[in-house]
Coordinates of all heavy atoms in Angstrom, one line a residue:
T1 N 4.1 119.4 19.7 CA 4.2 118.3 18.7 C 3.0 117.4 18.9 O 2.9 116.7 19.9 CB 5.5 117.5 18.8 OG1 6.6 118.4 18.7 CG2 5.5 116.4 17.8
S2 N 2.0 117.4 18.0 CA 0.8 116.5 18.2 C 1.2 115.1 17.8 O 1.7 114.9 16.7 CB -0.3 117.1 17.3 OG -0.7 118.4 17.7
P3 N 0.8 114.1 18.6 CA 1.1 112.7 18.2 C 0.2 112.4 17.0 O -0.9 113.0 16.8 CB 0.7 112.0 19.4 CG -0.3 112.9 20.2 CD 0.2 114.3 19.9
P4 N 0.6 111.4 16.2 CA -0.2 110.9 15.1 C -1.6 110.6 15.6 O -1.8 110.2 16.7 CB 0.5 109.7 14.6 CG 2.0 109.9 15.0 CD 1.9 110.6 16.3
K5 N -2.6 110.6 14.7 CA -4.0 110.6 15.0 C -4.5 109.2 15.4 O -5.2 109.1 16.4 CB -4.8 111.2 13.9 CG -6.3 111.3 14.3 CD -7.1 112.0 13.1 CE -8.5 112.1 13.5 NZ -9.3 112.7 12.4
D6 N -4.2 108.2 14.6 CA -4.8 106.9 14.8 C -3.7 105.8 15.0 O -2.8 105.7 14.1 CB -5.7 106.5 13.7 CG -7.0 107.4 13.7 OD1 -7.7 107.4 14.7 OD2 -7.2 108.1 12.7
Y7 N -3.9 105.0 16.1 CA -2.9 104.0 16.4 C -3.5 102.6 16.3 O -4.6 102.4 16.7 CB -2.4 104.2 17.8 CG -1.6 105.5 18.1 CD1 -2.3 106.7 18.3 CD2 -0.2 105.5 18.1 CE1 -1.6 107.9 18.5 CE2 0.5 106.7 18.3 CZ -0.2 107.9 18.5 OH 0.5 109.0 18.7
I8 N -2.7 101.7 15.8 CA -3.1 100.3 15.7 C -2.0 99.5 16.5 O -0.8 99.6 16.2 CB -3.2 99.8 14.3 CG1 -4.5 100.3 13.7 CG2 -3.2 98.2 14.3 CD1 -4.7 99.9 12.2
F9 N -2.5 98.7 17.5 CA -1.6 97.7 18.1 C -2.0 96.4 17.4 O -3.1 95.9 17.5 CB -1.9 97.6 19.6 CG -1.4 98.7 20.4 CD1 -2.0 99.9 20.4 CD2 -0.3 98.5 21.2 CE1 -1.5 101.0 21.2 CE2 0.2 99.5 22.0 CZ -0.4 100.7 22.0
F10 N -1.0 95.8 16.6 CA -1.2 94.6 15.9 C -0.6 93.4 16.6 O 0.7 93.4 16.8 CB -0.8 94.7 14.4 CG -1.0 93.5 13.6 CD1 -2.3 93.2 13.2 CD2 0.0 92.6 13.3 CE1 -2.6 92.0 12.5 CE2 -0.3 91.4 12.6 CZ -1.6 91.2 12.2
L11 N -1.4 92.4 16.9 CA -0.9 91.2 17.6 C -1.0 90.0 16.7 O -2.2 89.6 16.4 CB -1.7 91.0 18.9 CG -1.8 92.3 19.8 CD1 -2.8 92.0 21.0 CD2 -0.4 92.6 20.4
H12 N 0.1 89.4 16.3 CA 0.1 88.4 15.3 C -0.3 87.0 15.8 O -0.5 86.9 17.0 CB 1.4 88.3 14.6 CG 2.6 88.0 15.5 ND1 2.8 86.7 16.0 CD2 3.6 88.8 15.9 CE1 3.9 86.7 16.7 NE2 4.4 88.0 16.7
N13 N -0.3 86.0 14.9 CA -0.8 84.7 15.3 C 0.4 83.9 15.9 O 1.5 84.3 16.0 CB -1.3 84.0 14.1 CG -0.3 83.8 13.0 OD1 0.7 84.5 13.0 ND2 -0.6 83.0 12.0
R14 N 0.0 82.6 16.3 CA 1.0 81.8 17.0 C 2.2 81.3 16.1 O 3.3 81.2 16.5 CB 0.3 80.5 17.6 CG 1.2 79.6 18.4 CD 0.6 78.3 18.7 NE -0.7 78.5 19.4 CZ -0.8 78.5 20.7 NH1 0.3 78.4 21.5 NH2 -1.9 78.6 21.3
F15 N 1.9 81.1 14.8 CA 2.9 80.6 13.9 C 4.1 81.4 13.9 O 5.3 80.9 13.9 CB 2.3 80.4 12.5 CG 3.3 79.8 11.5 CD1 3.5 78.5 11.5 CD2 3.9 80.7 10.6 CE1 4.4 77.9 10.6 CE2 4.8 80.1 9.6 CZ 5.0 78.8 9.6
L16 N 3.9 82.8 14.0 CA 5.1 83.7 13.9 C 5.9 83.6 15.2 O 7.1 84.0 15.2 CB 4.6 85.1 13.6 CG 4.5 85.5 12.2 CD1 3.8 86.8 12.0 CD2 5.9 85.5 11.5
E17 N 5.3 83.2 16.3 CA 6.0 83.1 17.6 C 7.1 81.9 17.4 O 8.2 82.1 17.9 CB 5.1 82.7 18.7 CG 4.4 83.8 19.3 CD 3.6 83.4 20.6 OE1 3.9 82.3 21.1 OE2 2.8 84.1 21.1
E18 N 6.7 80.9 16.7 CA 7.5 79.7 16.7 C 8.4 79.6 15.5 O 9.2 78.7 15.4 CB 6.5 78.4 16.7 CG 5.5 78.5 17.8 CD 6.1 78.5 19.2 OE1 7.2 78.0 19.4 OE2 5.4 79.0 20.1
N19 N 8.3 80.5 14.6 CA 9.0 80.4 13.3 C 9.6 81.7 12.9 O 9.1 82.8 13.2 CB 8.1 79.9 12.2 CG 7.6 78.5 12.5 OD1 8.3 77.5 12.2 ND2 6.4 78.3 13.1
D20 N 10.6 81.6 12.0 CA 11.2 82.8 11.4 C 10.1 83.5 10.5 O 9.3 82.8 9.9 CB 12.4 82.4 10.5 CG 13.1 83.5 9.9 OD1 12.7 83.9 8.7 OD2 14.0 84.1 10.5
P21 N 10.1 84.8 10.3 CA 9.1 85.5 9.5 C 9.1 85.0 8.0 O 8.1 85.1 7.4 CB 9.6 86.9 9.6 CG 10.3 87.0 10.9 CD 11.0 85.7 11.1
E22 N 10.2 84.4 7.5 CA 10.2 83.9 6.2 C 9.8 82.5 6.0 O 9.7 81.9 4.9 CB 11.6 84.1 5.6 CG 12.1 85.5 5.5 CD 11.1 86.4 4.7 OE1 10.7 86.0 3.6 OE2 10.8 87.5 5.2
A23 N 9.6 81.8 7.2 CA 9.2 80.4 7.2 C 7.8 80.2 6.6 O 6.9 81.1 6.7 CB 9.2 79.8 8.6
K24 N 7.5 79.1 5.9 CA 6.2 78.8 5.3 C 5.5 77.7 6.1 O 6.0 76.7 6.3 CB 6.5 78.4 3.8 CG 7.0 79.5 2.9 CD 7.0 79.0 1.5 CE 7.5 80.1 0.6 NZ 7.5 79.7 -0.9
H25 N 4.3 78.0 6.4 CA 3.4 77.0 7.0 C 3.1 76.0 5.9 O 2.9 76.3 4.7 CB 2.1 77.7 7.4 CG 1.1 76.8 8.2 ND1 0.3 75.9 7.5 CD2 0.9 76.7 9.5 CE1 -0.4 75.3 8.4 NE2 -0.1 75.7 9.6
P26 N 3.1 74.7 6.3 CA 2.9 73.6 5.3 C 1.6 73.7 4.5 O 1.5 73.3 3.3 CB 2.9 72.3 6.1 CG 2.7 72.8 7.5 CD 3.3 74.1 7.6
E27 N 0.6 74.3 5.0 CA -0.7 74.5 4.4 C -1.0 75.9 3.9 O -1.6 76.1 2.8 CB -1.9 74.0 5.3 CG -3.2 74.0 4.6 CD -4.3 73.4 5.4 OE1 -4.0 73.0 6.6 OE2 -5.5 73.4 5.0
Y28 N -0.7 76.9 4.7 CA -1.1 78.3 4.5 C 0.0 79.2 3.9 O -0.3 80.3 3.5 CB -1.6 78.9 5.8 CG -2.6 78.1 6.5 CD1 -2.5 77.8 7.9 CD2 -3.7 77.5 5.8 CE1 -3.5 77.1 8.6 CE2 -4.7 76.7 6.5 CZ -4.6 76.5 7.8 OH -5.5 75.8 8.5
G29 N 1.2 78.7 3.8 CA 2.3 79.5 3.3 C 2.9 80.4 4.3 O 2.7 80.3 5.5
R30 N 3.6 81.4 3.8 CA 4.3 82.4 4.8 C 3.3 83.3 5.4 O 2.3 83.8 4.8 CB 5.3 83.2 4.0 CG 6.1 84.1 4.8 CD 7.3 84.7 4.0 NE 6.8 85.6 2.9 CZ 6.4 86.9 3.1 NH1 6.5 87.4 4.3 NH2 6.0 87.6 2.1
A31 N 3.4 83.6 6.7 CA 2.6 84.6 7.4 C 3.2 85.9 7.0 O 4.3 86.3 7.4 CB 2.7 84.3 8.9
E32 N 2.4 86.7 6.2 CA 2.9 87.9 5.7 C 2.8 89.1 6.6 O 2.1 90.1 6.4 CB 2.2 88.2 4.3 CG 2.4 87.1 3.3 CD 1.7 87.3 2.0 OE1 1.3 88.5 1.7 OE2 1.4 86.3 1.3
Y33 N 3.5 89.0 7.7 CA 3.5 89.9 8.8 C 3.9 91.4 8.4 O 3.2 92.3 8.6 CB 4.4 89.4 9.9 CG 4.6 90.4 11.1 CD1 3.5 90.8 11.9 CD2 5.9 90.8 11.5 CE1 3.7 91.6 13.0 CE2 6.1 91.6 12.6 CZ 5.0 92.0 13.3 OH 5.2 92.8 14.4
K34 N 5.0 91.5 7.7 CA 5.5 92.8 7.3 C 4.6 93.4 6.3 O 4.4 94.6 6.3 CB 6.9 92.6 6.7 CG 8.0 92.2 7.7 CD 9.4 92.1 7.0 CE 10.4 91.6 8.0 NZ 11.8 91.5 7.4
E35 N 4.0 92.6 5.4 CA 3.1 93.2 4.4 C 1.8 93.7 5.1 O 1.2 94.7 4.7 CB 2.8 92.1 3.4 CG 3.9 91.7 2.5 CD 4.9 90.7 3.0 OE1 4.8 90.4 4.3 OE2 5.7 90.1 2.3
I36 N 1.4 93.0 6.1 CA 0.2 93.4 6.8 C 0.4 94.8 7.5 O -0.4 95.7 7.4 CB -0.3 92.4 7.9 CG1 -0.8 91.1 7.1 CG2 -1.3 92.9 8.8 CD1 -1.0 89.9 8.0
I37 N 1.6 94.9 8.2 CA 1.9 96.1 8.8 C 2.0 97.3 7.8 O 1.5 98.4 8.0 CB 3.3 96.0 9.6 CG1 3.2 94.9 10.6 CG2 3.7 97.3 10.2 CD1 2.3 95.2 11.7
A38 N 2.7 97.0 6.7 CA 2.8 98.0 5.6 C 1.5 98.4 5.1 O 1.3 99.6 4.8 CB 3.7 97.4 4.5
E39 N 0.5 97.5 5.0 CA -0.8 97.9 4.5 C -1.5 98.9 5.4 O -2.2 99.8 4.9 CB -1.6 96.6 4.3 CG -3.0 96.8 3.8 CD -3.1 97.5 2.4 OE1 -2.1 97.3 1.6 OE2 -4.1 98.1 2.1

């Protein structure tokens, strides 16, 4: 079984550490973590 070819380790920003994924930053809006992964 050959492992998939290309791997990405994605490390998000500080805002997501301190907040729920659906929370909105007062200036920048929601950190679209799931959408970035999906892309």
Side-chain angles (χ1 to χ4, degrees):
T1 303
S2 298
K5 186 176 181 181
D6 291 303
Y7 295 83
I8 286 177
F9 285 74
F10 181 73
L11 308 172
H12 62 72
N13 62 345
R14 184 192 301 271
F15 182 76
L16 272 171
E17 278 188 14
E18 309 298 334
N19 296 275
D20 183 270
E22 298 303 316
K24 291 185 178 181
H25 186 280
E27 183 176 1
Y28 307 134
R30 185 172 63 85
E32 299 179 24
Y33 174 62
K34 294 179 181 178
E35 290 85 348
I36 290 169
I37 300 299
E39 179 62 27

